[in-house]
Structures are given as C-alpha cells and as structure tokens.
Amino acid sequence: MSRFGKVAVLLGGSSGERSVSLKSGEEIYQAMLRSGIDAVKIDPIENVAKQLQEHNIERAFIALHGPGGEDGTIQGMLEFLNIPYTGSGVKASALCMDKWRTKLIWSALTLPTPSYKQVSSVGELNEFAEKHGLPMMVKPALEGSSLGISKVSNLHDVEKAFEFAANTKSPVMVEQFIQGKEFTVAILNDTALPVIQLKTDNEFYDFNAKYVSNDTQYLVPCGLSQEKESELQALALQAYQSLDCRGWGRVDAMQDENGKFWLIEVNTVPGMTDHSLVPMAAKAKNMTFDDLIIAILDQTLATRTVG
C-alpha cells in the first residue's frame, strides 16, 4: 500500500511492559507485510531518532506500552520530527498514563469513577480504608498492564501492597474497589466497538489473567441488554473524548451490583496480539486483524495537530 510510504512499527522499549509490546509489535508488523506495506520494526530502546531518520520513515505505528511509549514521550519526539503517528497525541497520552490525573478530570466533569487518592505512605492508605472501607485497590499511578496492582481486603496487607506499587518507581494511588462485573470498550475512530465482559477466577483482571492464564473468559456479546450496552458505550466514548484521545484506544469500566457503571482507566495503546481485546471487539464487527491495522494506520493520513 504505497499511500503509507515507509512505516515504522515502534515496539519493545524499556518499560516493564516490554515483553507485551514486542508481541504486539510483531503481530502488527506481520499484518502490514500481509497487506503489502513497506514496514520496518524499530525498538526505541536506543537512538530512536537516528533509526527513524536512517530508515527514512514517513509514519509510525506506536505499539509501545507503558512509560516512554504511552505517556507522550515518543509522541512528542515524533511531533518534533514531523512524523505522523497512530493514536492519541502528547497531551492525551500523558493524561491517560497518569491514572490519578485521569480521574481528577473525570471527577471535575462528574463522570462516575470510584473514590480515589494519591498517597505517599502506608498511613494514608489506612486512612483511606477507614473512610471508604475495604476492599480497595492499590496501584502505581503511572504503570499499565496491571503491574504493581494489589487488591487489599485486610489491613495486614496494606504495607505489602504499598511497597509492591512503590517498587515500580511510580507515585502510588488507592481506589475504592467496585464489586461487580468488569467490562472493556474499544474505541476506533470515535466509535465504540462491541463491549467485552472479562471474567477471571483471579481476584481481579491482573497481569496473570491478561497474559498468562488460559482460564480468563472474554464474553462477546457481553451479556448486557442492548440498552445497557449502549449506555456503557456512550459513557466510555464520553470518558475517552474528555481526555482529548483520538484514533483508537480502550476504556475499562466496572458495573456494580446495582447496575451502575464506573470508569476505571483509559489505555491509549492497548495490546495488539491477534487475541487481544481490541482485535476481539473489531472481530465482533466483522473486521479482521489486518483490516484493523489498516484502519488505525489510515488515521495518520489525516492532518494532525500538535499535542
């Protein structure tokens, strides 16, 4: 497909999600080759600007997860080099990577999200538990793929959870746990794709449930009535647009036992192996993995604004 010119698939990187990114990037790269796109894999772990210039790259498909690739850093560099790229811009990428600041914006807009606080000590976690009760979720504010996250159901586990999150070198936040069903909504070109319900025997949809376990269930159709699915899709799209996201992404949400939806986070560069959530949602709309990659890459042909 000559309309794209030379395309770089940016994969790997130096974050804790490197292994996931390498898998995503390889699948994307192979899809491009099948579609006749002139593509090259570039790992930005070193000299990324030099690599892009040496290969005469005309546009980039970002398949980097976590800090350095999903937080506006690589996006800013690509803006500087005037290379069009997939997904959200600098501002939205930085906001969505920071779960605490994401929730500040949602709260200001009165969008439903569980009670939360950024904390700097075990004592603050204990105070949060006293005010909001248990269970609660303790997590790094600046990590993805559920790295460093713990569900705390007992005060004896508070210190361990704090250390687990803090060891990622990220600020730590705590969030009220929502008992209920877990859903995710993929967004493509400002359209919400079919909702997926996630079911796992683990305490929550953690790293193991995402990437290791064979027992995690992905329900499409999601089990919601058409009315409730449409409600969740509209809420997810509103949450996504409120952060100035664009192109594609994924919004995670919970539904409590009273049927109310709660926003958890936005992922601006979701996993993209053939069996990941966004391709799964696209398949429910009769879109193949290769078609999905082309649809995302097509976004780089439009005029982009900085940020």
Side-chain angles (χ1 to χ4, degrees):
M1 293 189 181
S2 59
R3 69 178 185 268
F4 296 123
K6 190 67 171 288
V7 180
V9 179
L10 299 179
L11 76 173
S14 57
S15 81
E17 299 177 71
R18 175 177 171 82
S19 62
V20 180
S21 173
L22 288 170
K23 292 177 182 177
S24 291
E26 181 63 31
E27 296 265 8
I28 292 165
Y29 174 71
Q30 292 299 330
M32 288 186 185
L33 295 185
R34 289 193 294 270
S35 298
I37 296 172
D38 184 9
V40 61
K41 293 182 287 185
I42 292 180
D43 189 338
I45 199 163
E46 61 179 29
N47 298 325
V48 60
K50 182 179 179 182
Q51 291 186 71
L52 290 166
Q53 292 170 328
E54 286 178 345
H55 286 285
N56 296 313
I57 296 301
E58 295 176 65
R59 64 199 68 251
F61 195 117
I62 300 175
L64 297 164
H65 306 315
E70 202 170 351
D71 59 2
T73 303
I74 197 74
Q75 290 81 3
M77 189 207 68
L78 291 167
E79 295 271 7
F80 182 77
L81 294 174
N82 199 30
I83 297 175
Y85 56 89
T86 55
S88 292
V90 177
K91 175 178 63 179
S93 297
L95 280 173
C96 291
M97 193 70 223
D98 190 326
K99 298 179 180 69
W100 179 64
R101 285 180 170 79
T102 291
K103 289 164 77 70
L104 286 175
I105 291 174
W106 287 344
S107 296
L109 296 172
T110 66
L111 294 176
T113 192
S115 297
Y116 62 96
K117 184 180 181 181
Q118 188 156 293
V119 298
S120 57
S121 68
V122 173
E124 287 184 281
L125 283 180
N126 285 324
E127 291 172 6
F128 187 90
E130 184 176 346
K131 181 177 181 180
H132 297 285
L134 295 174
M136 61 185 183
M137 301 298 293
V138 179
K139 58 181 72 174
L142 302 177
E143 283 287 358
S145 288
S146 299
L147 294 174
I149 296 183
S150 302
K151 177 184 176 184
V152 177
S153 302
N154 189 307
L155 289 178
H156 294 298
D157 297 328
V158 169
E159 184 174 356
K160 180 181 178 182
F162 180 82
E163 291 176 355
F164 186 48
N167 280 341
T168 65
K169 309 304 180 184
S170 161
V172 178
M173 65 173 284
V174 58
E175 180 181 70
Q176 188 177 19
F177 179 75
I178 301 297
Q179 185 67 48
K181 297 176 180 178
E182 188 162 1
F183 297 94
T184 194
V185 185
I187 310 289
L188 180 65
N189 292 327
D190 284 324
T191 298
L193 299 181
V195 176
I196 300 174
Q197 182 182 164
L198 315 171
K199 296 184 75 173
T200 174
D201 292 333
N202 295 7
E203 285 197 298
F204 62 96
Y205 189 55
D206 59 8
F207 187 92
N208 185 71
K210 289 179 180 180
Y211 303 115
V212 181
S213 175
N214 293 319
D215 298 327
T216 304
Q217 298 179 55
Y218 304 97
L219 305 184
V220 192
C222 65
L224 294 169
S225 67
Q226 185 58 59
E227 180 182 5
K228 293 299 286 185
E229 181 168 7
S230 296
E231 177 187 336
L232 178 54
Q233 288 173 313
L235 176 63
L237 191 57
Q238 184 181 5
Y240 176 87
Q241 292 174 336
S242 74
L243 298 163
D244 201 28
C245 296
R246 65 190 181 204
W248 72 297
R250 205 187 73 227
V251 181
D252 295 338
M254 298 290 298
Q255 183 187 39
D256 67 22
E257 294 169 328
N258 296 318
K260 181 177 179 177
F261 294 115
W262 297 88
L263 297 165
I264 304 300
E265 64 180 272
V266 177
N267 191 327
T268 55
V269 188
M272 280 295 285
T273 59
D274 190 42
H275 57 275
S276 293
L277 295 170
V278 176
M280 196 179 301
K283 185 177 181 180
K285 292 284 286 185
N286 298 314
M287 179 180 285
T288 67
F289 184 82
D290 292 4
D291 290 339
L292 174 62
I293 299 306
I294 298 303
I296 295 171
L297 196 55
D298 268 334
Q299 299 158 7
T300 66
L301 299 174
T303 301
R304 300 185 68 93
T305 56
V306 175

